[in-house]
Amino acid sequence: MRQIGTLQTQTQADRFTAFLVTQDISAVAEPDTDWWTIWVRDEDQVAVARDALDEFRRNPDDARYHGVVREASAVLQAQAKRRDLARKNVIPVGGGRWQQSGLRATPLTAAVIALCVVLFVLSGFGRNDRSAAMRSLGFCDARHAQRADWDPSRTQDRLIDIRRGQWWRLVTPIFLHADVLHLLFNMIMFHIFARAIEMRQGAARLGVLMLLIALPSNAAQGLAPATWGTLSGGPFFLGMSGVVYGLMGYLWMKTVYHPGSGLFVNAGTVVFLLGWMTIGFTGVLGDSLQMANLAHGGGLLAGMIWGYVSSPRT
């Protein structure tokens, strides 16, 4: 902190330091024997503050100094609110959920990952369509494909099990995975996004958000016609990627429209996942990699919508 000069009265000192605050220069006035000493906190702003002091001394009653005390008070209050908000949005490293183990801090995230791993093993590492996991949790039972009277192009046939009351199938395909890389990629990304949301908003909010994303994501992929090229749908799909895209979209909207929420996603992550989705839409990889593009797009759109509508309007 550097001294830049003195003023004769407290009124002048208060008015001038208030003026500096309105110019985004942090300053204080301290009483001395016969005057008030002006101090500036930032070394880089000393020269500007001294020039401002010279101008003030020449005409302390200039109109631009009228009302600066009230204006400076508003500026300081706004700064204090921002600091308080920042403190609320920081989870202390030495306490709170960060101090807990990963399982205790984010139980739903951990439980979902564990469930996906267990089901992956029970499904023969994603290869056994006849396993109980695949038959019971897919959009529809794969054994229907062996029936001569079952046509996957007909909506009523795709919904055959759901129409029988097995409503969980609208959600449960997200817990199934086709191979190790499929599982590994989805679980890594899910852990990053879900843990951030659960740490900030809790398990209940994360669970509801997953449902709100999984339903339209799975419906889009499961019910779309099979004649739409790279956007074709079908009942035999699986994976958490639609939810992953939805959680990313939710965090993206929070980053843009509600930065005070404490939720954030890196721009590089957004670009990477959008680029990967674009590759799927273009079909440049051909049949070498089957991607549930409508699940990705539907999940992303759902997550973005919920992230936007749950953010405060300014």
Side-chain angles (χ1 to χ4, degrees), residues 126-137:
R127 298 189 182 94
N128 187 1
D129 290 339
R130 294 177 176 272
S131 66
M134 289 290 197
R135 289 189 288 104
S136 302
L137 301 178

Side-chain angles (χ1 to χ4, degrees), residues 210-287:
M210 288 179 62
L211 286 175
L212 293 174
I213 293 171
L215 287 169
S217 171
N218 288 346
Q221 188 65 42
L223 299 178
T227 56
W228 287 3
T230 59
L231 297 181
S232 294
F236 303 125
F237 66 93
L238 36 82
M240 186 68 70
S241 52
V243 171
V244 166
Y245 271 97
L247 296 181
M248 186 270 286
Y250 179 82
L251 290 171
W252 187 12
M253 293 299 98
K254 288 297 184 182
T255 302
V256 175
Y257 294 105
H258 192 191
S261 67
L263 294 172
F264 171 81
V265 63
N266 185 280
T269 302
V270 175
V271 171
F272 169 72
L273 286 179
L274 291 181
W276 184 246
M277 186 170 67
T278 301
I279 290 174
F281 283 165
T282 59
V284 295
L285 298 179
D287 295 331

Side-chain angles (χ1 to χ4, degrees), residues 20-40:
L20 290 182
V21 168
T22 65
Q23 304 303 303
D24 201 26
I25 298 175
S26 180
V28 294
E30 293 183 349
D32 210 326
T33 306
D34 297 314
W35 55 77
W36 286 74
T37 303
I38 310 300
W39 298 84
V40 172

Side-chain angles (χ1 to χ4, degrees), residues 51-223:
D51 291 341
L53 179 59
D54 291 339
E55 291 185 22
F56 180 82
R57 284 170 173 162
R58 286 194 290 270
N59 188 6
D61 295 320
D62 189 274
R64 62 177 166 166
Y65 303 122
H66 295 172
V68 291
V69 173
R70 183 171 58 254
E71 185 179 347
S73 177
V75 170
L76 293 174
Q77 288 178 10
Q79 291 175 349
K81 287 182 179 179
R82 285 195 294 270
R83 287 194 297 269
D84 289 342
L85 183 60
R87 281 195 293 268
K88 291 177 182 178
N89 287 331
V90 172
I91 301 174
V93 174
R97 293 185 180 180
W98 284 110
Q99 194 176 37
Q100 302 173 1
S101 66
L103 181 61
R104 291 179 58 197
T106 54
L108 181 57
T109 300
V112 168
I113 293 174
L115 176 61
C116 289
V117 172
V118 169
L119 291 175
F120 182 65
V121 174
L122 293 178
S123 65
F125 302 97
R127 298 189 182 94
N128 187 1
D129 290 339
R130 294 177 176 272
S131 66
M134 289 290 197
R135 289 189 288 104
S136 302
L137 301 178
F139 197 77
C140 73
D141 191 331
R143 292 179 299 178
H144 293 307
Q146 300 172 5
R147 292 170 40 187
D149 61 341
W150 189 81
D151 184 355
S153 66
R154 294 198 301 252
T155 300
Q156 62 267 31
D157 283 358
R158 295 186 186 188
L159 293 173
I160 184 170
D161 295 316
I162 295 173
R163 292 170 63 194
R164 291 172 177 172
Q166 299 175 20
W167 297 100
W168 62 85
R169 292 180 183 272
L170 291 169
V171 174
T172 51
I174 68 175
F175 301 116
L176 303 172
H177 290 84
D179 54 53
V180 173
L181 288 179
H182 189 209
L183 175 71
L184 185 62
F185 179 82
N186 279 350
M187 292 303 97
I188 290 174
M189 301 310 297
F190 175 78
H191 179 264
I192 293 172
F193 299 148
R195 186 171 188 272
I197 295 170
E198 188 172 3
M199 288 286 291
R200 176 58 55 192
Q201 298 185 328
R205 180 71 65 87
L206 173 62
V208 170
L209 183 60
M210 288 179 62
L211 286 175
L212 293 174
I213 293 171
L215 287 169
S217 171
N218 288 346
Q221 188 65 42
L223 299 178

